[in-house]
Amino acid sequence: MRNFIVTIDGKQYSVGVEEVGESGAEVKTIASIPVQQAPKATPVSAPVNGEKVLSPFPGLIKNLLVADGASVKKDQPIMVLEAMKMDNEITAPCDGKVTFSVAKGANVETNAQLAVIG
């Protein structure tokens, strides 16, 4: 048995590790916990000309209500942004074709570009 001192989040723990097998090379895994992270907003190339749609607050893109490249009218809902367990419709600020800058499931911050209407 070999003893080690491990520091986790500033707290020290004394850990005993037992060698297994003759060479000590055999390792047994007690538990394996996969870590999943929420997708982040990834910028997509959007047309330079057009009106940007910005996030009014931080939240999660819950749903895209129209297809990328679809023609939309002013004030038409284009996506649902969830914040504080509430669904908020984000609407088109003008008429035009929508090009999304985020994907469904992305977490966005305040003033993040969500789409361009051009």
Side-chain angles (χ1 to χ4, degrees):
M1 169 101 42
R2 295 181 67 186
N3 292 315
F4 296 92
I5 295 177
V6 179
T7 304
I8 301 173
D9 293 331
K11 294 181 183 177
Q12 289 190 343
Y13 299 91
S14 177
V15 179
V17 179
E18 184 177 339
E19 291 184 25
V20 179
E22 292 179 23
S23 66
E26 186 179 335
V27 177
K28 289 186 179 179
T29 303
I30 296 172
S32 177
I33 301 171
V35 177
Q36 294 182 353
Q37 295 181 352
K40 298 208 177 218
T42 53
V44 176
S45 58
V48 177
N49 298 346
E51 192 163 342
K52 293 179 182 179
V53 180
L54 304 179
S55 176
F57 36 76
L60 169 76
I61 304 300
K62 190 169 182 182
N63 202 6
L64 302 177
L65 302 175
V66 297
D68 196 41
S71 293
V72 294
K73 297 287 185 190
K74 182 178 180 179
D75 297 326
Q76 177 181 345
I78 59 171
M79 71 178 66
V80 176
L81 177 65
E82 181 184 288
M84 297 176 54
K85 309 261 186 215
M86 292 182 63
D87 291 348
N88 302 278
E89 285 187 341
I90 304 298
T91 59
C94 60
D95 293 353
K97 288 190 178 188
V98 64
T99 302
F100 289 108
S101 303
V102 294
K104 180 179 177 179
N107 286 309
V108 296
E109 297 297 324
T110 303
N111 293 323
Q113 181 174 311
L114 303 176
V116 174
I117 310 291

